[in-house]
mmCIF file of all heavy atoms in Angstrom:
data_model
loop_
_atom_site.group_PDB
_atom_site.id
_atom_site.type_symbol
_atom_site.label_atom_id
_atom_site.label_comp_id
_atom_site.label_asym_id
_atom_site.label_seq_id
_atom_site.Cartn_x
_atom_site.Cartn_y
_atom_site.Cartn_z
ATOM 1 N N MET A 1 2.990 9.030 -1.408
ATOM 2 C CA MET A 1 1.531 9.021 -1.441
ATOM 3 C C MET A 1 1.113 8.106 -2.615
ATOM 4 O O MET A 1 1.639 8.255 -3.793
ATOM 5 C CB MET A 1 0.818 10.282 -1.600
ATOM 6 C CG MET A 1 -0.694 10.262 -1.722
ATOM 7 S SD MET A 1 -1.403 11.909 -2.016
ATOM 8 C CE MET A 1 -1.208 12.722 -0.449
ATOM 9 N N VAL A 2 0.317 7.117 -2.454
ATOM 10 C CA VAL A 2 -0.278 6.280 -3.512
ATOM 11 C C VAL A 2 -1.788 6.503 -3.500
ATOM 12 O O VAL A 2 -2.424 6.180 -2.571
ATOM 13 C CB VAL A 2 0.089 4.813 -3.351
ATOM 14 C CG1 VAL A 2 -0.555 3.961 -4.388
ATOM 15 C CG2 VAL A 2 1.668 4.533 -3.250
ATOM 16 N N ILE A 3 -2.282 6.857 -4.692
ATOM 17 C CA ILE A 3 -3.684 7.082 -4.821
ATOM 18 C C ILE A 3 -4.195 6.005 -5.811
ATOM 19 O O ILE A 3 -3.816 5.972 -6.946
ATOM 20 C CB ILE A 3 -4.085 8.417 -5.355
ATOM 21 C CG1 ILE A 3 -3.501 9.516 -4.443
ATOM 22 C CG2 ILE A 3 -5.575 8.596 -5.530
ATOM 23 C CD1 ILE A 3 -3.917 10.927 -4.808
ATOM 24 N N GLY A 4 -4.927 5.007 -5.202
ATOM 25 C CA GLY A 4 -5.175 3.801 -5.993
ATOM 26 C C GLY A 4 -4.439 2.628 -5.462
ATOM 27 O O GLY A 4 -3.571 2.118 -6.161
ATOM 28 N N GLY A 5 -4.645 2.307 -4.222
ATOM 29 C CA GLY A 5 -3.785 1.256 -3.543
ATOM 30 C C GLY A 5 -4.026 -0.226 -4.015
ATOM 31 O O GLY A 5 -3.117 -1.003 -3.991
ATOM 32 N N HIS A 6 -5.325 -0.332 -4.542
ATOM 33 C CA HIS A 6 -5.682 -1.715 -5.068
ATOM 34 C C HIS A 6 -5.292 -2.793 -4.134
ATOM 35 O O HIS A 6 -5.688 -2.798 -3.035
ATOM 36 C CB HIS A 6 -5.153 -1.814 -6.455
ATOM 37 C CG HIS A 6 -5.480 -0.763 -7.474
ATOM 38 N ND1 HIS A 6 -6.760 -0.469 -7.757
ATOM 39 C CD2 HIS A 6 -4.706 0.239 -7.953
ATOM 40 C CE1 HIS A 6 -6.792 0.576 -8.608
ATOM 41 N NE2 HIS A 6 -5.591 0.988 -8.711
ATOM 42 N N LYS A 7 -4.492 -3.733 -4.504
ATOM 43 C CA LYS A 7 -4.119 -4.924 -3.733
ATOM 44 C C LYS A 7 -2.809 -4.712 -2.913
ATOM 45 O O LYS A 7 -2.324 -5.649 -2.337
ATOM 46 C CB LYS A 7 -4.007 -6.168 -4.567
ATOM 47 C CG LYS A 7 -5.349 -6.519 -5.291
ATOM 48 C CD LYS A 7 -5.237 -7.780 -6.058
ATOM 49 C CE LYS A 7 -6.521 -8.022 -6.780
ATOM 50 N NZ LYS A 7 -6.453 -9.259 -7.736
ATOM 51 N N GLY A 8 -2.245 -3.538 -3.100
ATOM 52 C CA GLY A 8 -1.193 -3.108 -2.170
ATOM 53 C C GLY A 8 0.265 -3.471 -2.833
ATOM 54 O O GLY A 8 1.193 -3.342 -2.078
ATOM 55 N N TYR A 9 0.267 -3.808 -4.044
ATOM 56 C CA TYR A 9 1.532 -4.204 -4.736
ATOM 57 C C TYR A 9 2.456 -2.977 -4.717
ATOM 58 O O TYR A 9 3.695 -3.136 -4.356
ATOM 59 C CB TYR A 9 1.295 -4.584 -6.151
ATOM 60 C CG TYR A 9 2.491 -5.025 -6.992
ATOM 61 C CD1 TYR A 9 3.120 -6.273 -6.855
ATOM 62 C CD2 TYR A 9 3.014 -4.030 -7.920
ATOM 63 C CE1 TYR A 9 4.241 -6.505 -7.543
ATOM 64 C CE2 TYR A 9 4.131 -4.468 -8.675
ATOM 65 C CZ TYR A 9 4.744 -5.691 -8.476
ATOM 66 O OH TYR A 9 5.823 -6.003 -9.288
ATOM 67 N N TYR A 10 2.137 -1.873 -5.107
ATOM 68 C CA TYR A 10 2.910 -0.707 -5.154
ATOM 69 C C TYR A 10 3.277 -0.026 -3.839
ATOM 70 O O TYR A 10 4.456 0.291 -3.568
ATOM 71 C CB TYR A 10 2.456 0.383 -6.136
ATOM 72 C CG TYR A 10 2.766 0.066 -7.599
ATOM 73 C CD1 TYR A 10 1.860 -0.062 -8.606
ATOM 74 C CD2 TYR A 10 4.095 -0.241 -7.928
ATOM 75 C CE1 TYR A 10 2.138 -0.370 -9.845
ATOM 76 C CE2 TYR A 10 4.466 -0.549 -9.285
ATOM 77 C CZ TYR A 10 3.522 -0.625 -10.249
ATOM 78 O OH TYR A 10 3.815 -0.918 -11.507
ATOM 79 N N PRO A 11 2.365 0.091 -2.983
ATOM 80 C CA PRO A 11 2.681 0.617 -1.642
ATOM 81 C C PRO A 11 3.684 -0.346 -0.932
ATOM 82 O O PRO A 11 4.671 0.168 -0.321
ATOM 83 C CB PRO A 11 1.348 0.560 -0.866
ATOM 84 C CG PRO A 11 0.261 0.830 -1.895
ATOM 85 C CD PRO A 11 0.769 0.038 -3.145
ATOM 86 N N ALA A 12 3.519 -1.546 -1.112
ATOM 87 C CA ALA A 12 4.498 -2.455 -0.473
ATOM 88 C C ALA A 12 5.813 -2.438 -1.097
ATOM 89 O O ALA A 12 6.896 -2.475 -0.422
ATOM 90 C CB ALA A 12 3.906 -3.951 -0.445
ATOM 91 N N GLY A 13 5.808 -2.473 -2.482
ATOM 92 C CA GLY A 13 7.035 -2.479 -3.148
ATOM 93 C C GLY A 13 7.914 -1.247 -2.948
ATOM 94 O O GLY A 13 9.082 -1.272 -2.769
ATOM 95 N N LEU A 14 7.223 -0.051 -3.001
ATOM 96 C CA LEU A 14 7.880 1.193 -2.757
ATOM 97 C C LEU A 14 8.400 1.312 -1.371
ATOM 98 O O LEU A 14 9.422 1.895 -1.001
ATOM 99 C CB LEU A 14 7.029 2.382 -3.166
ATOM 100 C CG LEU A 14 6.727 2.485 -4.644
ATOM 101 C CD1 LEU A 14 5.606 3.466 -4.891
ATOM 102 C CD2 LEU A 14 7.959 2.822 -5.462
ATOM 103 N N SER A 15 7.530 0.884 -0.396
ATOM 104 C CA SER A 15 8.020 0.874 0.936
ATOM 105 C C SER A 15 9.249 0.037 1.285
ATOM 106 O O SER A 15 10.193 0.419 1.894
ATOM 107 C CB SER A 15 6.833 0.385 1.945
ATOM 108 O OG SER A 15 5.869 1.283 2.003
ATOM 109 N N ASN A 16 9.242 -1.121 0.660
ATOM 110 C CA ASN A 16 10.408 -2.031 0.802
ATOM 111 C C ASN A 16 11.640 -1.467 0.156
ATOM 112 O O ASN A 16 12.777 -1.629 0.599
ATOM 113 C CB ASN A 16 10.088 -3.425 0.243
ATOM 114 C CG ASN A 16 11.029 -4.428 0.631
ATOM 115 O OD1 ASN A 16 11.269 -4.720 1.910
ATOM 116 N ND2 ASN A 16 11.568 -5.190 -0.238
ATOM 117 N N LEU A 17 11.446 -0.908 -1.040
ATOM 118 C CA LEU A 17 12.637 -0.377 -1.787
ATOM 119 C C LEU A 17 13.159 0.987 -1.184
ATOM 120 O O LEU A 17 14.373 1.079 -1.105
ATOM 121 C CB LEU A 17 12.215 0.012 -3.233
ATOM 122 C CG LEU A 17 13.229 0.436 -4.199
ATOM 123 C CD1 LEU A 17 14.358 -0.444 -4.467
ATOM 124 C CD2 LEU A 17 12.552 0.955 -5.526
ATOM 125 N N LEU A 18 12.313 1.887 -0.799
ATOM 126 C CA LEU A 18 12.812 3.180 -0.456
ATOM 127 C C LEU A 18 12.750 3.450 1.019
ATOM 128 O O LEU A 18 13.363 4.436 1.531
ATOM 129 C CB LEU A 18 11.930 4.343 -1.178
ATOM 130 C CG LEU A 18 11.893 4.189 -2.683
ATOM 131 C CD1 LEU A 18 10.887 5.116 -3.297
ATOM 132 C CD2 LEU A 18 13.339 4.492 -3.244
ATOM 133 N N ARG A 19 12.104 2.627 1.817
ATOM 134 C CA ARG A 19 11.968 2.768 3.277
ATOM 135 C C ARG A 19 11.589 4.138 3.698
ATOM 136 O O ARG A 19 12.357 4.810 4.423
ATOM 137 C CB ARG A 19 13.316 2.329 3.941
ATOM 138 C CG ARG A 19 13.575 0.856 3.798
ATOM 139 C CD ARG A 19 12.651 -0.066 4.513
ATOM 140 N NE ARG A 19 12.614 -1.483 4.045
ATOM 141 C CZ ARG A 19 12.181 -2.446 4.778
ATOM 142 N NH1 ARG A 19 11.722 -2.253 5.993
ATOM 143 N NH2 ARG A 19 12.265 -3.677 4.201
ATOM 144 N N PRO A 20 10.487 4.717 3.196
ATOM 145 C CA PRO A 20 10.041 6.117 3.512
ATOM 146 C C PRO A 20 9.700 6.164 5.017
ATOM 147 O O PRO A 20 9.332 5.199 5.635
ATOM 148 C CB PRO A 20 8.896 6.312 2.584
ATOM 149 C CG PRO A 20 8.306 4.958 2.391
ATOM 150 C CD PRO A 20 9.414 4.015 2.382
ATOM 151 N N GLU A 21 9.689 7.374 5.492
ATOM 152 C CA GLU A 21 9.176 7.664 6.824
ATOM 153 C C GLU A 21 7.647 7.505 6.851
ATOM 154 O O GLU A 21 7.097 7.118 7.981
ATOM 155 C CB GLU A 21 9.640 8.968 7.274
ATOM 156 C CG GLU A 21 11.076 9.163 7.431
ATOM 157 C CD GLU A 21 11.559 10.520 7.879
ATOM 158 O OE1 GLU A 21 10.679 11.392 8.028
ATOM 159 O OE2 GLU A 21 12.760 10.720 8.027
ATOM 160 N N ASN A 22 6.968 7.897 5.738
ATOM 161 C CA ASN A 22 5.533 7.947 5.704
ATOM 162 C C ASN A 22 5.010 7.448 4.375
ATOM 163 O O ASN A 22 5.617 7.868 3.304
ATOM 164 C CB ASN A 22 4.968 9.252 5.971
ATOM 165 C CG ASN A 22 5.238 9.809 7.357
ATOM 166 O OD1 ASN A 22 4.634 9.422 8.224
ATOM 167 N ND2 ASN A 22 6.074 10.768 7.486
ATOM 168 N N MET A 23 4.138 6.492 4.508
ATOM 169 C CA MET A 23 3.497 5.950 3.251
ATOM 170 C C MET A 23 1.922 6.193 3.391
ATOM 171 O O MET A 23 1.232 5.682 4.319
ATOM 172 C CB MET A 23 3.737 4.495 3.067
ATOM 173 C CG MET A 23 2.817 3.819 1.915
ATOM 174 S SD MET A 23 3.150 4.458 0.318
ATOM 175 C CE MET A 23 4.743 3.687 -0.021
ATOM 176 N N TYR A 24 1.410 7.114 2.564
ATOM 177 C CA TYR A 24 0.006 7.422 2.637
ATOM 178 C C TYR A 24 -0.656 6.666 1.419
ATOM 179 O O TYR A 24 -0.299 6.896 0.249
ATOM 180 C CB TYR A 24 -0.140 9.017 2.500
ATOM 181 C CG TYR A 24 0.554 9.779 3.407
ATOM 182 C CD1 TYR A 24 1.816 10.268 3.078
ATOM 183 C CD2 TYR A 24 0.075 10.092 4.726
ATOM 184 C CE1 TYR A 24 2.460 11.176 4.119
ATOM 185 C CE2 TYR A 24 0.628 10.728 5.621
ATOM 186 C CZ TYR A 24 1.894 11.345 5.376
ATOM 187 O OH TYR A 24 2.646 12.053 6.302
ATOM 188 N N VAL A 25 -1.715 5.909 1.703
ATOM 189 C CA VAL A 25 -2.339 5.057 0.756
ATOM 190 C C VAL A 25 -3.899 5.408 0.699
ATOM 191 O O VAL A 25 -4.544 5.349 1.756
ATOM 192 C CB VAL A 25 -2.183 3.684 1.021
ATOM 193 C CG1 VAL A 25 -2.802 2.804 -0.171
ATOM 194 C CG2 VAL A 25 -0.669 3.234 1.147
ATOM 195 N N PHE A 26 -4.367 5.783 -0.479
ATOM 196 C CA PHE A 26 -5.744 5.984 -0.633
ATOM 197 C C PHE A 26 -6.320 4.907 -1.533
ATOM 198 O O PHE A 26 -5.751 4.552 -2.496
ATOM 199 C CB PHE A 26 -5.983 7.353 -1.486
ATOM 200 C CG PHE A 26 -5.726 8.602 -0.640
ATOM 201 C CD1 PHE A 26 -4.376 9.159 -0.477
ATOM 202 C CD2 PHE A 26 -6.776 9.274 0.017
ATOM 203 C CE1 PHE A 26 -4.146 10.204 0.291
ATOM 204 C CE2 PHE A 26 -6.477 10.474 0.780
ATOM 205 C CZ PHE A 26 -5.158 10.898 0.840
ATOM 206 N N GLU A 27 -7.528 4.400 -1.109
ATOM 207 C CA GLU A 27 -8.153 3.362 -1.898
ATOM 208 C C GLU A 27 -9.692 3.453 -1.581
ATOM 209 O O GLU A 27 -10.121 3.227 -0.409
ATOM 210 C CB GLU A 27 -7.670 1.931 -1.479
ATOM 211 C CG GLU A 27 -8.358 0.812 -2.183
ATOM 212 C CD GLU A 27 -8.613 1.015 -3.711
ATOM 213 O OE1 GLU A 27 -7.574 1.203 -4.478
ATOM 214 O OE2 GLU A 27 -9.768 1.018 -4.195
ATOM 215 N N MET A 28 -10.530 3.703 -2.562
ATOM 216 C CA MET A 28 -11.916 3.869 -2.406
ATOM 217 C C MET A 28 -12.608 2.642 -1.975
ATOM 218 O O MET A 28 -13.644 2.635 -1.331
ATOM 219 C CB MET A 28 -12.530 4.532 -3.648
ATOM 220 C CG MET A 28 -12.153 5.823 -3.944
ATOM 221 S SD MET A 28 -12.881 6.493 -5.540
ATOM 222 C CE MET A 28 -14.655 6.432 -5.120
ATOM 223 N N ASP A 29 -12.239 1.498 -2.545
ATOM 224 C CA ASP A 29 -12.831 0.223 -2.270
ATOM 225 C C ASP A 29 -12.456 -0.404 -1.045
ATOM 226 O O ASP A 29 -11.272 -0.877 -0.950
ATOM 227 C CB ASP A 29 -12.598 -0.719 -3.489
ATOM 228 C CG ASP A 29 -13.465 -1.979 -3.490
ATOM 229 O OD1 ASP A 29 -13.911 -2.332 -2.372
ATOM 230 O OD2 ASP A 29 -13.607 -2.576 -4.563
ATOM 231 N N SER A 30 -13.249 -0.378 -0.050
ATOM 232 C CA SER A 30 -12.901 -0.896 1.306
ATOM 233 C C SER A 30 -12.531 -2.399 1.243
ATOM 234 O O SER A 30 -11.847 -2.938 2.186
ATOM 235 C CB SER A 30 -13.985 -0.696 2.327
ATOM 236 O OG SER A 30 -15.122 -1.324 1.910
ATOM 237 N N ASN A 31 -12.942 -3.099 0.148
ATOM 238 C CA ASN A 31 -12.636 -4.484 0.148
ATOM 239 C C ASN A 31 -11.163 -4.803 -0.071
ATOM 240 O O ASN A 31 -10.617 -5.821 0.221
ATOM 241 C CB ASN A 31 -13.430 -5.238 -1.011
ATOM 242 C CG ASN A 31 -14.943 -5.165 -0.752
ATOM 243 O OD1 ASN A 31 -15.328 -5.592 0.364
ATOM 244 N ND2 ASN A 31 -15.710 -4.942 -1.750
ATOM 245 N N PHE A 32 -10.446 -3.819 -0.612
ATOM 246 C CA PHE A 32 -9.027 -3.998 -0.812
ATOM 247 C C PHE A 32 -8.190 -3.714 0.373
ATOM 248 O O PHE A 32 -7.006 -4.029 0.416
ATOM 249 C CB PHE A 32 -8.634 -2.978 -1.935
ATOM 250 C CG PHE A 32 -8.896 -3.337 -3.280
ATOM 251 C CD1 PHE A 32 -9.642 -2.578 -4.191
ATOM 252 C CD2 PHE A 32 -8.715 -4.742 -3.754
ATOM 253 C CE1 PHE A 32 -10.035 -3.040 -5.422
ATOM 254 C CE2 PHE A 32 -9.074 -5.113 -5.020
ATOM 255 C CZ PHE A 32 -9.656 -4.247 -5.890
ATOM 256 N N GLN A 33 -8.741 -3.014 1.459
ATOM 257 C CA GLN A 33 -7.931 -2.560 2.627
ATOM 258 C C GLN A 33 -7.236 -3.754 3.244
ATOM 259 O O GLN A 33 -6.116 -3.657 3.553
ATOM 260 C CB GLN A 33 -8.866 -1.921 3.544
ATOM 261 C CG GLN A 33 -8.049 -1.136 4.588
ATOM 262 C CD GLN A 33 -7.191 -0.065 3.939
ATOM 263 O OE1 GLN A 33 -7.737 0.786 3.292
ATOM 264 N NE2 GLN A 33 -5.941 -0.118 4.226
ATOM 265 N N PRO A 34 -7.860 -4.866 3.552
ATOM 266 C CA PRO A 34 -7.186 -5.977 4.088
ATOM 267 C C PRO A 34 -5.987 -6.519 3.279
ATOM 268 O O PRO A 34 -4.987 -6.950 3.748
ATOM 269 C CB PRO A 34 -8.196 -7.159 4.244
ATOM 270 C CG PRO A 34 -9.471 -6.458 4.254
ATOM 271 C CD PRO A 34 -9.362 -5.280 3.374
ATOM 272 N N LEU A 35 -6.105 -6.497 1.905
ATOM 273 C CA LEU A 35 -5.050 -6.879 1.082
ATOM 274 C C LEU A 35 -3.953 -5.916 1.173
ATOM 275 O O LEU A 35 -2.677 -6.335 1.164
ATOM 276 C CB LEU A 35 -5.627 -6.878 -0.356
ATOM 277 C CG LEU A 35 -6.798 -7.911 -0.581
ATOM 278 C CD1 LEU A 35 -7.200 -7.936 -2.082
ATOM 279 C CD2 LEU A 35 -6.493 -9.336 -0.109
ATOM 280 N N ILE A 36 -4.242 -4.655 1.132
ATOM 281 C CA ILE A 36 -3.157 -3.633 1.233
ATOM 282 C C ILE A 36 -2.353 -3.772 2.474
ATOM 283 O O ILE A 36 -1.140 -3.809 2.558
ATOM 284 C CB ILE A 36 -3.799 -2.125 1.175
ATOM 285 C CG1 ILE A 36 -4.356 -1.911 -0.217
ATOM 286 C CG2 ILE A 36 -2.724 -1.117 1.493
ATOM 287 C CD1 ILE A 36 -5.196 -0.610 -0.251
ATOM 288 N N ASP A 37 -3.045 -3.958 3.658
ATOM 289 C CA ASP A 37 -2.441 -4.056 4.955
ATOM 290 C C ASP A 37 -1.674 -5.350 5.040
ATOM 291 O O ASP A 37 -0.665 -5.451 5.904
ATOM 292 C CB ASP A 37 -3.476 -3.931 6.010
ATOM 293 C CG ASP A 37 -4.077 -2.617 6.222
ATOM 294 O OD1 ASP A 37 -3.479 -1.622 5.661
ATOM 295 O OD2 ASP A 37 -5.274 -2.520 6.704
ATOM 296 N N SER A 38 -2.046 -6.364 4.329
ATOM 297 C CA SER A 38 -1.490 -7.815 4.472
ATOM 298 C C SER A 38 0.058 -7.825 4.221
ATOM 299 O O SER A 38 0.742 -8.713 4.748
ATOM 300 C CB SER A 38 -2.130 -8.787 3.534
ATOM 301 O OG SER A 38 -1.902 -8.566 2.209
ATOM 302 N N TRP A 39 0.572 -6.878 3.425
ATOM 303 C CA TRP A 39 1.995 -6.839 3.090
ATOM 304 C C TRP A 39 2.931 -6.383 4.243
ATOM 305 O O TRP A 39 4.122 -6.722 4.290
ATOM 306 C CB TRP A 39 2.244 -5.972 1.906
ATOM 307 C CG TRP A 39 1.647 -6.276 0.666
ATOM 308 C CD1 TRP A 39 0.296 -6.048 0.225
ATOM 309 C CD2 TRP A 39 2.151 -7.018 -0.459
ATOM 310 N NE1 TRP A 39 0.005 -6.431 -1.039
ATOM 311 C CE2 TRP A 39 1.234 -7.055 -1.469
ATOM 312 C CE3 TRP A 39 3.433 -7.553 -0.680
ATOM 313 C CZ2 TRP A 39 1.477 -7.662 -2.669
ATOM 314 C CZ3 TRP A 39 3.647 -8.227 -1.845
ATOM 315 C CH2 TRP A 39 2.655 -8.107 -2.907
ATOM 316 N N VAL A 40 2.316 -5.607 5.198
ATOM 317 C CA VAL A 40 3.143 -4.896 6.179
ATOM 318 C C VAL A 40 3.826 -5.798 7.118
ATOM 319 O O VAL A 40 5.109 -5.790 7.229
ATOM 320 C CB VAL A 40 2.240 -3.962 7.009
ATOM 321 C CG1 VAL A 40 2.935 -3.265 8.084
ATOM 322 C CG2 VAL A 40 1.699 -2.819 6.038
ATOM 323 N N GLU A 41 3.143 -6.633 7.826
ATOM 324 C CA GLU A 41 3.698 -7.395 8.873
ATOM 325 C C GLU A 41 4.709 -8.559 8.309
ATOM 326 O O GLU A 41 5.823 -8.624 8.770
ATOM 327 C CB GLU A 41 2.699 -8.228 9.679
ATOM 328 C CG GLU A 41 3.256 -9.007 10.863
ATOM 329 C CD GLU A 41 2.204 -9.570 11.760
ATOM 330 O OE1 GLU A 41 0.965 -9.356 11.497
ATOM 331 O OE2 GLU A 41 2.550 -10.379 12.681
ATOM 332 N N VAL A 42 4.353 -9.151 7.217
ATOM 333 C CA VAL A 42 5.278 -10.225 6.717
ATOM 334 C C VAL A 42 6.529 -9.679 5.978
ATOM 335 O O VAL A 42 7.589 -10.359 5.984
ATOM 336 C CB VAL A 42 4.508 -11.113 5.597
ATOM 337 C CG1 VAL A 42 3.347 -11.888 6.228
ATOM 338 C CG2 VAL A 42 4.038 -10.269 4.476
#
């Protein structure tokens, strides 16, 4: 779980490093959501 996803650096980094089954990301500012998601597909 990441609380404070911001631009997605840590959710992406930890997902790539640890390959968890579930990554839960909280971010209050909806403007950051496209940035957080942008790491996934590439």
Side-chain angles (χ1 to χ4, degrees):
M1 179 185 289
V2 176
I3 302 181
H6 305 294
K7 297 176 183 178
Y9 178 80
Y10 279 124
L14 292 170
S15 289
N16 196 53
L17 178 67
L18 300 172
R19 296 290 164 164
E21 294 177 1
N22 295 289
M23 170 65 73
Y24 304 97
V25 183
F26 289 82
E27 175 50 58
M28 292 180 61
D29 189 339
S30 60
N31 292 319
F32 284 129
Q33 196 60 57
L35 305 182
I36 293 170
D37 292 337
S38 68
W39 297 84
V40 173
E41 184 175 355
V42 295

